[in-house]
Amino acid sequence: MDVNIILDWLPKTVIVRGVEYQIRSDFRTSILFETMMRSNLSSWEKLNQILRIYYPVIPSDRQEAIQKALWFYNCGKEKNLEAEKNKTREKFRKDRVSYSFEQDAPYIYAAFMEVYKINLQRIPSKELHWWEFVALFDSLPDDCKIRKIMYWRTCDTSGMSRKEIQRINELRKTFELKDDVSVEAKVTLAQRNQKMQDYVKQRFREVNGGGLQ
């Protein structure tokens, strides 16, 4: 059942293999998670960091724990990572986002100050749940600079005048994201890469073991 942000208490735990585990629910944790997933860490390091970032006590079932962490990150929306295992890298490239908490931090900070009078620098983490932060972020008005930047990055220019297309392209170049692949795509790719690496290591051991007999 979906959680109603007005009527229900927002979750601070998840269930993994029938056991309840605390999950770090503050907004800074999930921002750190996004930033980590866009880093140059290896697949193995990323998957391990997901668990370390979100769980004070890491569940024994790593795969389900990662799925539940991603469920929490997506504010309760189910994402079936296994269903995406047949995606090509080209398809993953189409699964993009329009912002970066790292690159756009000044614009997001300014928008929260302007619209909500919330100082993200000073507010204690425990006072702002990740799901609350996302609701506020998604509801920023279109005249905020961050919303304009997000529009410039993703808008469909078909049907626009040549002059307007040129203007949009210049703005896109100015505010170009270093990495615009979604976190879900990166998690899925990390899992796929890790499974392949584990398979190769296992085959290497089998071949070497067979050769010693």
Side-chain angles (χ1 to χ4, degrees):
M1 184 175 67
D2 293 337
V3 175
N4 186 311
I5 196 171
I6 300 175
L7 299 176
D8 303 320
W9 293 109
L10 297 181
K12 296 184 178 180
T13 61
V14 294
I15 304 297
V16 179
R17 284 293 182 98
V19 179
E20 187 175 27
Y21 289 90
Q22 182 183 349
I23 195 165
R24 295 186 177 98
S25 58
D26 64 278
F27 74 101
R28 290 191 178 96
T29 292
S30 290
I31 289 176
L32 176 63
F33 163 65
E34 268 205 32
T35 303
M36 181 277 297
M37 286 306 302
R38 295 184 185 186
S39 71
N40 294 323
L41 293 175
S42 68
S43 297
W44 182 85
E45 290 173 322
K46 285 182 178 179
L47 295 177
N48 272 310
Q49 285 299 321
I50 292 173
L51 300 173
R52 291 172 183 166
I53 287 172
Y54 272 119
Y55 294 99
V57 177
I58 298 176
S60 57
D61 189 327
R62 291 166 51 89
Q63 182 174 353
E64 185 175 348
I66 290 172
Q67 289 176 336
K68 288 300 175 65
L70 197 60
W71 169 86
F72 178 84
Y73 164 78
N74 283 300
C75 302
K77 298 176 183 177
E78 295 289 346
K79 296 283 184 177
N80 189 342
L81 298 180
E82 289 299 316
E84 304 209 0
K85 64 183 179 180
N86 294 322
K87 272 190 175 182
T88 64
R89 288 185 178 271
E90 178 61 26
K91 288 181 180 178
F92 274 120
R93 288 296 303 166
K94 294 179 180 179
D95 189 8
R96 298 181 175 182
V97 294
S98 58
Y99 69 91
S100 164
F101 284 129
E102 187 172 18
Q103 283 184 239
D104 299 328
Y107 308 118
I108 297 170
Y109 172 85
F112 270 67
M113 279 289 289
E114 176 187 356
V115 177
Y116 305 121
K117 310 305 179 190
I118 294 176
N119 188 330
L120 293 176
Q121 178 64 224
R122 296 181 182 178
I123 186 171
S125 292
K126 292 183 179 180
E127 290 186 9
L128 188 58
H129 191 283
W130 168 241
W131 293 18
E132 293 176 292
F133 175 89
V134 171
L136 294 171
F137 181 64
D138 287 346
S139 299
L140 288 170
D142 290 340
D143 59 353
C144 285
K145 187 166 184 179
I146 181 59
R147 296 294 292 184
K148 292 179 181 179
I149 292 172
M150 293 166 67
Y151 169 76
W152 295 331
R153 286 170 176 159
T154 59
C155 68
D156 183 2
T157 59
S158 59
M160 294 183 181
S161 66
R162 182 177 299 178
K163 184 177 181 180
E164 182 64 8
I165 292 174
Q166 183 179 359
R167 187 182 76 90
I168 294 293
N169 287 337
E170 289 174 355
L171 288 166
R172 283 179 175 173
K173 187 175 182 180
T174 300
F175 296 103
E176 183 180 10
L177 288 175
K178 297 176 183 177
D179 185 354
D180 60 359
V181 180
S182 72
V183 166
E184 291 90 343
K186 282 185 171 289
V187 172
T188 306
L189 283 173
Q191 290 183 319
R192 286 174 51 185
N193 291 340
Q194 187 58 46
K195 286 181 181 179
M196 179 56 68
Q197 291 170 11
D198 292 342
Y199 171 76
V200 171
K201 288 178 182 177
Q202 179 62 30
R203 290 293 296 147
F204 182 79
R205 285 194 292 267
E206 291 173 355
V207 170
N208 280 349
L212 292 175
Q213 293 178 354

